[in-house]
Structure formats: C-alpha cells, structure tokens
Amino acid sequence: MTSQSDSGASQLLFEAREAGIEEVCRLLQAPEDLARLPGLRAENDAKRAANKTQLTALVQSHVEATRSGMELLDRSQKTVLKLRAGFEQIDRLCNECTSLIENHEKIQMLSVTHHNVTKTLEEIDNIIKLPDDAELAEEMLEDDAKLVDAYSALTALEGTSKLVQDAMTDNHRRRDEMQNLNEYFDKVKDTYKKLEERLWSNFHNYDVLGLSNPGLLVGCVRVVETQEMVDKELKEPKAWKRQALKCMEDSIRSKFSTIVVKCKELDPPASASDGEEADVQNPPVLESIVPEILDQATKLSEELAGTYDYVAPCFPPDYDVFRTLWSRYHLNFASVVDSLGLRASRIANRDILGVIRWVEAYQETLRGLGLEEEELRMPKYPVLTSSSSGAVHMERSGMGLLIEKYVDRIRESSTTMYLNIIESDIAGEPEVNEDGMLWSPGVVDFFRMLNDSLATVEDVTQGEMMYESAKLALAMMKEFINAQVAVLQREISFGMLCAFANNNVKCYDMSIDFVEHVEEAIDEEYKNTLEVEEVCRGFLDVGKLAMKKVTEGMFSDPGMVDLLKKLYQGVEWVEGRVTATFIATILDYFADLKEFLEPSIFRRVVESTLDMSMSAFTSALMSKIPPITEVVLERMKADEEELTEFYKKYMKADKVEAIIQKLTNLRTLACSSDTEAFLLSYLAILDSDVNTQPIIVERICNARQDMTKQDAAEVVEQCKDMYVQRQKTVAAENHAQAKHPQTPTSSIWQRWREMWES
C-alpha cells in the first residue's frame, strides 16, 4: 500500500516537472524572453507561497474534523455504556418489585401516613418558629427601608397562624390544647398590631414624611395597596385605604384644634347677661387674638404647597390625595372663618380686614395649585335668624357676616360724619375759590371720606367686600342727597344756595369718577351690577333745586315783589319804567351770579329766570288785565322786545324768542279782530302750554271795549270746545306713548349732563 503511494507520488512529481518544463519553454521561446526571467520567477514564487498556505489550511481543517470525530465517538461509547447500566438496573428493580404486588394497599397506606407525618412535623415546626419569625419581623419594623418586607413577613405569619387555628377548630381540639399554643399566636397578633400602629402613625405624620422621608411614605402606601389586593380575597376586608385617608384627615383636624380654641376666646365673658353683648369695638384683651389666629392659619395654608409638591407624588393617581386633603383643609378654613363671622361684633374692623386679606391670599395660593375658580369660595352654612313670622334658616357665610359687620360700622360712622359735614357747611359762610365762585368744603370732605373708605377695602380685596363697600358708598350718596334736599327746604342765604348749586355739579363729577374707578378696579363678576344712574342724577337734581331756589330768591325779594305788582297798571308801567327797573334788577343779580356760579349753572339760572319772568308777567296779566287799548298793546309789545333784547345777551336768540312767545301769543290774543283770529291765537297758546284754560280768553274779551257780549260769548264758547278737544288729543297721545315707550340712546346721566351743558 505504501509502495503504491510512493510510486503514485513519483509519477505525479514527474508529470509536474514535465509540465513545468513545457511551460518554461513556452514562456522562453525567443532569446529576448530571458529578460522576463526574474519577473517570471517572482510570480512563480508568489503562486507557490499561496498554494502552500492554502494547502496548510486545508490540512489543518481536516485534522480538526478528525479530532472532533474522535471525541464524539468517545462520548457515544460512554453514553452507550451508561444506558446499558440503566437497563440492567431497571431489570434488577423489576425483579425485586415482583414480590411486592401482593402488599400494594399496605404500601399505599404507609405512603399516606408518611406524607401526613411529614406535613404535621412541618406545621409543628412552623408553629414553633412563629415567635422567632415574629421577632424578626418586629426588628424589621425598626428599619424604615424594610417596612414592606416586615409587612410581607407578618402577612405570611398571620396566614399561617390563622390556618392552624382554623384547622384546630375544625378538628375539634380541646380548649386546653389551643390555649397551650395561644402564646405562639399572640406573639404574631402583637407584632401585627405594632405594624398597624406604625403604619397609622406614619400616615398621621404624612406631611413631615413627605418632606423628610418620602421613601417611608411610599412604603406605607405600598403596604396599603398590597393589603387592598389581599382584601379582594377576604370575606372581611381590612379597608386600610379608607383608614389611611382617615388618619390623614384626623391629622388635619387636630392641626386646627388650637385655632378653634383661639376663636372661642372671642366669646363674650360668661358674666354677660343673656342676649346682652358687651360694647367691645377694640377691647385690649382681644387685640392680639385675631392676628394670632391668622398667623396659624397662614402656616397651615402653606402646608398645602408641601402636600402638592411632596405628599401627592407618593400616592397613586387614583387616590387623588391632594384634592382629598385640600377639601379637608378647605372645610376647616371655612369653619374658622365662619367662627370668626359669628363673633364679628367682637372683632375690630382692622382685624376684619385682616381676615379678608388672609382669605384673598389663601385663594391666590389655591389658584397657584391649579384649582378652579368656583372651588375657591368658602362654603355657606345655615344660620338661624328670627323674624315676625318665626325662626328663619338662611344660608350665610362667615365672610358675609364679617363684611356685613364691617359695612354696618362704616355706615354708622359715615352717617354721623356727613350730617356733621352738612351742618358745618350751612353754619358758616360759603368760600370763594380762585375763580370767584362760591362753594363749601363739605362735599370734598364727604367724597374724600367715601374714597378713603373704599381705598382701605380695595387694598385688601376687589371682590365681594369691595362690592358691598361700593354699594354702601352709593347708599351714603343717596342719603347725602336727601339731607341736602332737606336743608334746601330751610331758609338759607343766597350765597349758600349758589354754593349748593356749584357743589352738586362738582358732586356729580366726583360721583362719576367714583363709579368709573369702582368699575375699573372691581372683580369681573361684579362689574356693571351697581345701580349708579339714580344716584348720579340725584346730585344734578339737587343742583337744579338749588338753582330753582336761587331764582325764587330773586323773585321773592321784597323789592322785586313790589315791582311786579306794578305790571300792567299805572302810568309807570305804560311809560316803561317798571320793565326797565325789572331788567336792571335782573341785570344786577346776573352780575353777581355770573361770578358766583359755574358757567353751566349760570346758563341754567338765566333760563330759569326767563321762565319765571314769563310766569310773573303772565300771572300779572291774568290777575289784572287792563282795558285793551292801543297804548296797552304797544307797551306789551315793547315789554316783549326789551325782554328779548336783554336775554339774548345770555341765551340763544331762538330759545329766548320761543319762551317769550307766550307773551306774544297773549298780546296777539288781546288784539284779535274777529272770531277766527281769536281761535288761531288761542291755538298758538295751547301749542305752547296745553293747560292754558279758556278763562284767559274770557278775561281778555271782557277787557276789550270794542266787543259785544254776544261776540265775546261766541269766542269763549268755541275756545272752550277747542280746549276740550285738545285735552282728548293729548291724552290719546300720552296713552300711545306709554304703550310704546322709546328706548333711550344714551345713558341717563349723559343726557342730564348734556342738558346742563346746553
């Protein structure tokens, strides 16, 4: 075999040599090919090295494959030997068991007995180990990081203890046997009780743990959550989740106990008789109580931020623990405010403002914690009040009671102040400002009082209390207006009447500024809810009344009264001296009034004077109509012209002519030549004043010396018919207007202001 291999190799070597020679001859056929010999040799060396490398790798792979095959063969041989030994053992065991088939039942009973004995020994071992395991669990309770492990261990021990006790009960063990084991079970119960005490103590101190040891708080929550899952399998669940929340709520309640005690210190002394309340606006003994209460409340409200930031993240989202705890805080805070509200009469106004300021700060804290606006309000509680029909239950809040007491006190003090202001004004003389106009400082003091009172509240809140204070200010304005009206019914000086007129126009402007400031500053929910139109208009009404009094003062002067008695009679009137004196007197008044009154008021007084002049002239004519002659008619026309020329200096010409037209109409009536002219003249009078009765026609006809009684009676009769018809027409128009009133296009005070400025 070896010789054949050698000969084969020799043959291959020979063939390779021959092939090499042929290849060399092919490559070196010409002499010049010898120059390529070094390159060919290098190329041949490279190919030979590559072949050698390839051959070496191939041989190596074959060697590895051979080695692996040898190892597999070796393992296969060992496995076969092991299987052969196993089969031999099976055969041997089968031969041994053939003799046991007859004793199968005994063997089965022995097996069950062995199992029961083993299990009993295990249970006995577990019972014996109960105190030791409980001791280990109790040691774990001392380590905060092992609280969950301690709970798991105690839960397992409790389960073991319960199973053993149930088994002994089911097997009807004697009581003495169970009592012998009670000390083992009691150790587990005592340790489990310590776990619960530790757990509830931690939940009671949840706020401290959330800040200083959140890991322990999370561990407590994990224990509760685990027990909640266990409860699903129990007939009597432990409900630890509810208990944990209750512990935290009890903790909150205990924090407020000191505040509740402080609030009770505000109660009247026990020596006070029933229904009698001591007058303690600022009792020295109570001065520091409310600030102390608010300081404690502030500290408690600051805990909410810690609850939000540190406690809530330790609980699962479904607990909604922040809202749960906040609701307890909120109810307790509301209870504190309600308690203070019930004792508002014992709290000074500055302390009431302090309470409102604290509530505003507390609500701002809640806004920062993401609570909705409607959740911020303090809840209301039922208050029992008495009335003529018996007891009435009303929903009131402590905030409302505090605000009510504050407003009542401000109302009382403000009423006294504005009455003193008015009396001080009318007791003195009016002052003169830099423009020479008359005024009194009372109105400025009055509005300064209102603005200061409102500013005090505005610095604290722009909510309900500012709204109530603004309502009070408007009520004070109404009372101030009524008090001024009452004063104007008295006999006061002409200068003070002018001052009243100026003052109330100024009051109107200040009331508008006051209302605009309130509307700008107050919270959105209270905007446009104050009844301001009637109040602001009231000042203009007082100003108008003062102007009327000024005009009445002019015409009630004894000299003016004597002068008006001379109208339409005597040579002095016919010659024009009465009218000239009247105009000169009015001119003297106007010279003073133009300096005393504001321009807008002066214009109104001028118009009022013209109206009253027309009333005086028409009344004088109606009371004593002179015989109608050419001289009388010429004097009447001259009066109209002189009055028109005088008043045109102060008023628009068309307005003056419209007012004096009544005198013109009377003169035209007096000089009417026939019945138609009388009717047209009387119709013009009715157009200017629908209430002018036909008696004026009758008197003028009687004063006409050129009319017969028959003609006069005919004219009067037709004028009466015209008057009746006009009254019916006016009544129908008024009824239609009442059914379809026109909607004003501007606010009331704007229309009145325009009227004043016109």
Side-chain angles (χ1 to χ4, degrees):
M1 185 73 177
T2 304
S3 61
Q4 290 179 356
S5 299
D6 292 340
S7 62
S10 299
Q11 183 64 27
L12 290 174
L13 182 61
F14 176 77
E15 290 177 357
R17 184 180 295 123
E18 289 297 327
I21 292 172
E22 289 179 2
E23 182 65 19
V24 170
C25 291
R26 186 181 64 79
L27 294 173
L28 301 176
Q29 292 180 3
E32 58 270 18
D33 291 336
L34 292 175
R36 299 170 52 200
L37 185 60
L40 294 173
R41 182 175 295 170
E43 182 180 354
N44 181 64
D45 290 341
K47 289 182 178 181
R48 185 174 61 182
N51 290 335
K52 184 176 180 181
T53 301
Q54 184 177 4
L55 183 61
T56 302
L58 183 62
V59 171
Q60 183 67 27
S61 64
H62 282 296
V63 170
E64 290 296 331
T66 302
R67 183 181 295 110
S68 176
M70 293 298 292
E71 290 177 355
L72 288 173
L73 287 173
D74 184 57
R75 286 201 297 272
S76 298
Q77 184 180 9
K78 292 179 179 179
T79 302
V80 169
L81 293 175
K82 188 181 293 185
L83 287 173
R84 183 178 298 166
F87 285 128
E88 291 176 355
Q89 186 177 5
I90 289 171
D91 291 337
R92 185 172 61 255
L93 292 175
C94 288
N95 292 330
E96 291 178 359
C97 290
T98 52
S99 60
L100 298 177
I101 294 176
E102 298 177 355
N103 300 315
H104 177 71
E105 294 181 358
K106 295 179 180 180
I107 293 173
Q108 186 177 12
M109 183 180 299
L110 180 61
S111 175
V112 171
T113 302
H114 179 270
H115 172 75
N116 290 338
V117 170
T118 303
K119 186 175 180 180
T120 301
L121 291 175
E122 290 177 356
E123 291 177 352
I124 292 173
D125 187 52
N126 290 335
I127 293 172
I128 294 173
K129 287 168 46 179
L130 282 176
D132 295 336
D133 291 343
E135 190 71 30
L136 291 175
E138 187 173 352
E139 292 177 1
M140 285 191 288
L141 285 176
E142 303 300 325
D143 188 351
D144 294 341
K146 296 181 179 181
L147 179 65
V148 178
D149 294 336
Y151 163 75
S152 300
L154 284 172
T155 301
L157 293 176
E158 185 188 39
T160 300
S161 175
K162 185 172 178 59
L163 287 175
V164 172
Q165 292 181 72
D166 291 344
M168 294 180 68
T169 302
D170 293 340
N171 292 330
H172 305 289
R173 294 291 185 180
R174 295 195 309 273
R175 182 174 297 179
D176 56 348
E177 293 181 359
M178 296 184 65
Q179 288 179 348
N180 293 334
L181 297 176
N182 278 343
E183 59 178 312
Y184 296 95
F185 304 140
D186 289 344
K187 180 61 177 177
V188 175
K189 290 180 181 179
D190 293 342
T191 307
Y192 205 89
K193 185 177 181 181
K194 291 180 180 179
L195 167 67
E196 291 183 350
E197 291 174 352
R198 177 73 185 283
L199 200 61
W200 308 142
S201 174
N202 289 339
F203 278 115
H204 194 273
N205 297 320
Y206 71 93
D207 51 339
V208 177
L209 292 181
L211 185 63
S212 61
N213 193 356
L216 177 57
L217 185 58
V218 171
C220 294
V221 175
R222 287 178 58 193
V223 169
V224 170
E225 282 290 279
T226 305
Q227 185 59 45
E228 285 293 304
M229 290 188 289
V230 173
D231 282 352
K232 295 177 182 178
E233 307 298 328
L234 299 178
K235 293 181 180 179
E236 298 180 359
K238 296 183 178 181
W240 278 8
K241 179 179 178 180
R242 184 170 65 248
Q243 180 66 21
L245 295 175
K246 183 178 181 301
C247 285
M248 292 189 286
E249 292 174 359
D250 291 343
S251 174
I252 295 171
R253 189 179 299 108
S254 65
K255 294 175 183 179
F256 281 85
S257 59
T258 55
I259 299 182
V260 173
V261 173
K262 278 288 182 185
C263 289
K264 291 181 179 179
E265 293 180 16
L266 293 168
D267 290 335
S271 58
S273 60
D274 293 342
E276 180 182 352
E277 199 172 271
D279 184 12
V280 283
Q281 176 68 16
N282 294 302
V285 69
L286 302 179
E287 280 186 352
S288 63
I289 292 180
V290 173
E292 289 177 7
I293 292 172
L294 296 180
D295 287 343
Q296 295 181 30
T298 300
K299 293 177 182 178
L300 291 175
S301 66
E302 291 172 352
E303 292 180 2
L304 284 171
T307 301
Y308 186 87
D309 293 332
Y310 303 109
V311 176
C314 298
F315 288 79
D318 62 291
Y319 276 61
D320 198 12
V321 71
F322 173 72
R323 283 187 174 275
T324 301
L325 299 180
W326 163 76
S327 65
R328 302 310 306 176
Y329 272 97
H330 195 57
L331 288 174
N332 281 280
F333 282 134
S335 177
V336 171
V337 175
D338 292 342
S339 181
L340 293 174
L342 291 172
R343 298 166 174 85
S345 59
R346 299 275 291 174
I347 301 175
N349 271 7
R350 64 175 178 275
D351 289 335
I352 290 178
L353 290 174
V355 175
I356 304 300
R357 183 183 291 108
W358 178 88
V359 172
E360 289 286 323
Y362 166 66
Q363 291 177 340
E364 190 60 34
T365 299
L366 297 184
R367 290 187 187 96
L369 296 176
L371 292 168
E372 299 296 332
E373 199 65 29
E374 58 271 12
E375 297 176 295
L376 307 183
R377 296 184 181 277
M378 294 291 181
K380 296 180 179 180
Y381 70 100
V383 176
L384 186 65
T385 60
S386 60
S387 66
S388 58
S389 59
V392 179
H393 284 276
M394 300 176 60
E395 288 241 333
R396 303 289 299 278
S397 68
M399 284 275 288
L401 294 172
L402 289 168
I403 293 172
E404 180 181 339
K405 176 56 66 175
Y406 180 91
V407 170
D408 286 345
R409 288 171 178 166
I410 296 299
R411 177 185 289 109
E412 183 179 350
S413 61
S414 298
T415 301
T416 303
M417 289 180 66
Y418 81 70
L419 291 176
N420 292 336
I421 286 171
I422 293 178
E423 292 299 327
S424 176
D425 273 356
I426 62 176
E429 293 295 327
E431 299 184 9
V432 181
N433 65 11
E434 62 274 8
D435 297 324
M437 299 177 188
L438 299 180
W439 71 290
S440 60
V443 293
V444 176
D445 295 337
F446 174 71
F447 273 92
R448 182 185 297 114
M449 173 189 71
L450 296 183
N451 287 316
D452 289 346
S453 178
L454 184 72
T456 301
V457 175
E458 185 181 352
D459 289 341
V460 175
T461 175
Q462 291 80 47
E464 181 183 359
M465 190 171 191
M466 184 176 180
Y467 172 71
E468 294 296 335
S469 298
K471 282 176 59 179
L472 172 63
L474 293 175
M476 290 293 100
M477 291 182 197
K478 282 186 179 181
E479 294 180 11
F480 187 69
I481 289 169
N482 294 333
Q484 289 189 97
V485 171
V487 169
L488 288 175
Q489 306 308 318
R490 302 191 223 168
E491 292 292 334
I492 59 177
S493 67
F494 188 79
M496 186 56 70
L497 287 174
C498 294
F500 262 72
N502 289 331
N503 286 347
N504 280 276
V505 173
K506 187 176 184 66
C507 285
Y508 171 82
D509 294 333
M510 289 190 291
S511 67
I512 292 295
D513 293 340
F514 179 88
V515 170
E516 289 177 350
H517 173 75
V518 170
E519 290 292 340
E520 180 180 353
I522 204 165
D523 286 348
E524 192 66 30
E525 63 179 303
Y526 298 106
K527 290 185 184 296
N528 302 317
T529 58
L530 295 171
E531 298 293 335
V532 298
E533 293 185 356
E534 181 182 353
V535 176
C536 296
R537 187 177 68 243
F539 287 113
L540 296 182
D541 290 339
V542 175
K544 183 179 178 181
L545 178 60
M547 294 176 210
K548 181 181 177 182
K549 291 290 183 180
V550 169
T551 308
E552 289 175 351
M554 295 166 55
F555 282 84
S556 63
D557 181 83
M560 179 66 78
V561 172
D562 292 340
L563 186 63
L564 292 176
K565 290 179 180 179
K566 299 177 181 180
L567 288 172
Y568 300 107
Q569 60 180 350
V571 176
E572 192 174 355
W573 172 72
V574 172
E575 292 178 352
R577 281 179 288 167
V578 174
T579 305
T581 304
F582 174 80
I583 291 175
T585 304
I586 297 298
L587 181 61
D588 290 341
Y589 274 114
F590 282 1
D592 292 336
L593 292 175
K594 190 173 184 179
E595 183 178 355
F596 292 162
L597 299 175
E598 289 191 1
S600 61
I601 303 175
F602 175 70
R603 288 193 295 270
R604 287 285 298 173
V605 171
V606 170
E607 183 177 346
S608 176
T609 303
L610 178 55
D611 288 334
M612 191 160 286
S613 299
M614 291 303 97
S615 297
F617 272 75
T618 54
S619 296
L621 180 60
M622 290 288 294
S623 63
K624 48 190 176 183
I625 298 177
I628 305 300
T629 64
E630 287 296 329
V631 175
V632 170
L633 292 175
E634 289 177 1
R635 182 66 255 168
M636 291 176 68
K637 184 177 181 180
D639 286 348
E640 297 166 22
E641 292 174 349
E642 291 173 8
L643 290 171
T644 301
E645 188 65 27
F646 171 71
Y647 278 104
K648 278 184 178 180
K649 298 176 183 178
Y650 303 97
M651 297 171 58
K652 292 181 179 180
D654 56 345
K655 198 166 188 178
V656 174
E657 292 171 356
I659 295 174
I660 295 181
Q661 183 65 35
K662 188 171 184 179
L663 276 181
T664 304
N665 292 337
L666 289 172
R667 180 176 55 82
T668 304
L669 181 66
C671 65
S672 297
S673 58
D674 53 25
T675 302
E676 184 178 356
F678 269 104
L679 293 176
L680 290 175
S681 298
Y682 184 59
L683 180 61
I685 293 174
L686 290 177
D687 288 339
S688 61
D689 184 4
V690 71
N691 294 317
T692 304
Q693 297 185 4
I695 187 66
I696 184 66
V697 179
E698 184 177 355
R699 291 180 179 179
I700 289 177
C701 288
N702 293 334
R704 289 280 297 268
Q705 298 177 356
D706 58 342
M707 287 187 68
T708 64
K709 291 184 178 180
Q710 183 178 358
D711 291 339
E714 182 182 354
V715 168
V716 172
E717 187 64 28
Q718 292 191 35
C719 287
K720 287 181 178 180
D721 293 340
M722 181 182 292
Y723 175 78
V724 172
Q725 184 61 36
R726 174 55 66 91
Q727 293 297 317
K728 291 179 180 180
T729 303
V730 171
E733 291 175 353
N734 291 338
H735 179 70
Q737 187 175 6
K739 290 181 64 177
H740 304 286
Q742 295 182 349
T743 302
T745 57
S746 60
S747 65
I748 291 178
W749 64 74
Q750 288 175 332
R751 296 199 304 277
W752 274 78
R753 188 59 175 171
E754 291 169 0
M755 179 192 72
W756 277 87
E757 296 294 342
S758 64

